[in-house]
Amino acid sequence: MPAGRFAPSPSGDLHVGNLRTALLAWLFARSTGREFLLRVEDLDRVRAGAEARQLADLAAIGIDWDPPVVRQSERGELYSAAVAALDTYECFCTRREILSAPSAPHAPDGAYPGTCRDLTEAQRAERRAARPAALRLRSTVSEFTVHDVLHGEYTGTVDDLVLRRNDGTWAYNLAVVVDDAAQAVDQVVRGDDLLSSAPRQAYLATLLGQRPPAYAHVPMVLGPTGARLAKRDGAVTLAQRGGPAAVVPELAASLGLMGDRPRDILAVFDPAALPRTPWTLPDL
Ligand code: GLU
């Protein structure tokens, strides 16, 4: 069954920006007859107890999901199998080496310059002795185009992205693509801070024989300084803002809609009418 999903990182409590994105993902999925899945992206940045509190807050505002909840930390075999099917190479560069390397001709700014792409086996053996390798995709394109419901055609950089970090951690870009494919997720709704990652993820999906999902990158919620909402902005969690009875109608209003429960908002949800600009969270 095709599905949409919400994929929080359990690094702390969800703030209203996260709750608004979750609500939108739920609305997109449920309004199109999809399942709605929760995936805990706990490959790094885990805080004890955060996952349980995040799920409790989602349930409290009336978002329901289709079991099971999966955790990326339990899915290493899937990531490993996917990487085995891809053309990859070992990379020994430190962050500093990448930043100071001259960028490759025609490579977009910030793209990996390809330093380790063509090392000989002898060079690899020598570097392996000095430090563990990350694993990179040997990409055959430098950009890729995705279609987004809110942004239209969007073309972005694809470089030799890291699939496994040199500490053995699976990279977010790999895990997200493998999981979306394994879970039949064909609709990805998330914050538009991730729009620039979509081309490389969609490209990776095609290499794994998958059709890229439909994307909707939704506007961010901003804090009082005009920057993306963060914990330090004060009253930002469900409890701090008065619980579901206060927060759900406020989120609905921020979307130009009315409703006390997600179910009510669903009845009047129209993706085409969604605001295209960030929402600044009002002070309490
Ligand atoms: N885990 C990511 C985050 O919390 C979201 C990833 C995604 O939706 O693709 O920012």
Side-chain angles (χ1 to χ4, degrees):
M1 172 107 165
R5 49 50 161 202
F6 182 60
S9 304
S11 54
D13 289 335
L14 297 173
H15 59 52
V16 282
N18 306 129
L19 292 173
R20 187 174 186 257
T21 301
L23 174 62
L24 281 165
W26 183 90
L27 289 167
F28 270 94
R30 295 304 193 205
S31 65
T32 52
R34 285 177 166 86
E35 290 199 326
F36 186 64
L37 308 177
L38 283 190
R39 184 168 71 230
V40 180
E41 300 208 322
D42 58 350
L43 291 176
D44 56 9
R45 296 188 295 144
V46 176
R47 180 158 308 170
E51 176 192 319
R53 289 200 306 276
Q54 291 185 341
L55 299 192
D57 281 357
L58 292 169
I61 65 167
I63 287 180
D64 64 338
W65 57 85
D66 297 287
V69 173
V70 305
R71 282 174 204 84
Q72 290 188 324
S73 58
E74 295 164 0
R75 297 165 71 80
E77 279 173 28
L78 275 177
Y79 309 141
S80 178
V83 162
L86 294 166
D87 187 1
T88 62
Y89 64 89
E90 289 169 293
C91 171
F92 303 90
C93 293
T94 61
R95 202 174 293 257
R96 180 185 302 224
E97 282 164 349
I98 294 172
L99 289 176
S100 61
S103 55
H106 314 300
D109 279 353
Y112 178 65
T115 320
C116 293
R117 199 174 223 259
D118 299 312
L119 296 180
T120 63
E121 192 41 53
Q123 289 170 320
R124 286 200 179 102
E126 188 189 319
R127 284 170 173 72
R128 254 181 236 134
R131 61 194 312 259
L135 213 54
R136 286 185 182 272
L137 177 70
R138 193 182 297 276
S139 168
T140 57
V141 302
S142 57
E143 56 178 40
F144 200 78
T145 300
V146 297
H147 182 77
D148 185 283
V149 179
L150 301 175
H151 296 263
E153 303 278 293
Y154 175 82
T155 301
T157 302
V158 179
D159 67 351
D160 287 355
L161 51 136
V162 171
L163 303 176
R164 198 186 63 212
R165 303 201 310 233
N166 73 356
D167 64 359
T169 307
W170 299 105
Y172 155 69
N173 280 314
L174 172 76
V176 82
V177 171
V178 171
D179 284 335
D180 284 341
Q183 297 187 281
V185 169
D186 65 350
Q187 179 189 62
V188 168
V189 178
R190 58 188 179 187
D192 63 12
D193 55 331
L194 288 169
L195 178 61
S196 63
S197 298
R200 49 176 80 84
Q201 293 173 5
Y203 170 64
L204 196 49
T206 61
L207 293 182
L208 292 169
Q210 301 291 327
R211 183 206 281 258
Y215 290 105
H217 287 89
V218 300
M220 296 269 97
V221 176
L222 306 181
T225 62
R228 183 178 160 190
L229 190 69
K231 289 284 154 45
R232 64 176 171 278
D233 290 330
V236 295
T237 65
L238 183 60
Q240 289 166 339
R241 293 199 67 92
V247 168
V248 177
E250 184 176 40
L251 293 181
S254 81
L255 300 171
L257 301 169
M258 274 169 59
D260 292 335
R261 296 169 307 177
R263 258 190 286 157
D264 308 327
I265 305 168
L266 182 60
V268 292
F269 179 63
D270 173 12
L274 281 178
R276 305 298 172 108
T277 51
W279 176 52
T280 302
L281 184 68
D283 281 339
L284 277 184

